[in-house]
């Protein structure tokens, strides 16, 4: 069996009504693959409707080190993503990152 050095972590938030994200999914979801050693995001998927948005968000998140805190990542989203679902994506990201650190802490105890 292959030894894995990454984990998958998810976060969700309610999508804003009146958006195509809400009509299709009802929620904003984020799935991150994170390197357990460096705590870097190495993969990311989202419940966005368009491929352009999905690809753009991968550029925003992949390579980011979670040890640098979530605030710079939130500021990055706020600076480069101008859409009604911005806050829902931030909430989903916060949930995923919180879940990541809770589980990492549990693994290390």
């Amino acid at each position: 069996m292959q030894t894995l050095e990454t984990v998958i972590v998810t976060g969700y938030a309610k999508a804003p009504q009146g958006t195509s994200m809400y009509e299709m999914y009802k929620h904003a979801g984020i799935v991150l693959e994170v390197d357990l050693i460096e705590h870097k995001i190495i993969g990311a998927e989202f419940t966005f409707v368009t491929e352009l948005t999905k690809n753009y968000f991968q550029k925003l998140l992949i390579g980011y080190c979670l040890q640098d805190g979530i605030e710079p990542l939130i500021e990055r989203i706020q600076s480069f993503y101008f859409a009604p679902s911005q806050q829902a994506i931030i909430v989903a990201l916060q949930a995923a990152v919180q879940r990541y650190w809770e589980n990492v802490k549990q693994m290390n105890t």
Side-chain angles (χ1 to χ4, degrees):
M1 183 180 291
Q2 182 180 357
T3 301
L4 299 176
E5 294 181 350
T6 63
V7 294
I8 294 288
V9 63
T10 63
Y12 299 93
K14 185 177 179 187
Q17 290 186 354
T19 64
S20 54
M21 180 187 286
Y22 179 82
E23 296 303 319
M24 288 186 72
Y25 304 116
K26 305 292 187 240
H27 66 275
I30 190 167
V31 180
L32 302 175
E33 182 179 5
V34 183
D35 181 300
L36 282 168
I37 296 166
E38 295 184 7
H39 307 291
K40 284 189 180 179
I41 299 171
I42 62 167
E45 289 193 16
F46 316 89
T47 56
F48 291 121
V49 175
T50 67
E51 287 301 313
L52 177 62
T53 309
K54 291 175 186 180
N55 294 337
Y56 191 80
F57 253 80
Q58 287 178 336
K59 287 191 261 184
L60 283 177
L61 272 61
I62 291 177
Y64 186 79
C65 180
L66 296 178
Q67 285 182 311
D68 292 338
I70 196 167
E71 284 305 316
L73 196 51
I74 291 171
E75 290 172 11
R76 189 166 164 87
I77 292 168
Q78 290 171 333
S79 296
F80 295 101
Y81 180 62
F82 308 138
S85 59
Q86 181 190 80
Q87 190 58 38
I89 294 300
I90 290 170
V91 170
L93 176 65
Q94 289 171 320
V97 171
Q98 180 179 349
R99 183 171 289 119
Y100 173 75
W101 286 119
E102 287 171 357
N103 282 281
V104 165
K105 181 180 175 184
Q106 211 171 36
M107 291 168 64
N108 293 330
T109 57

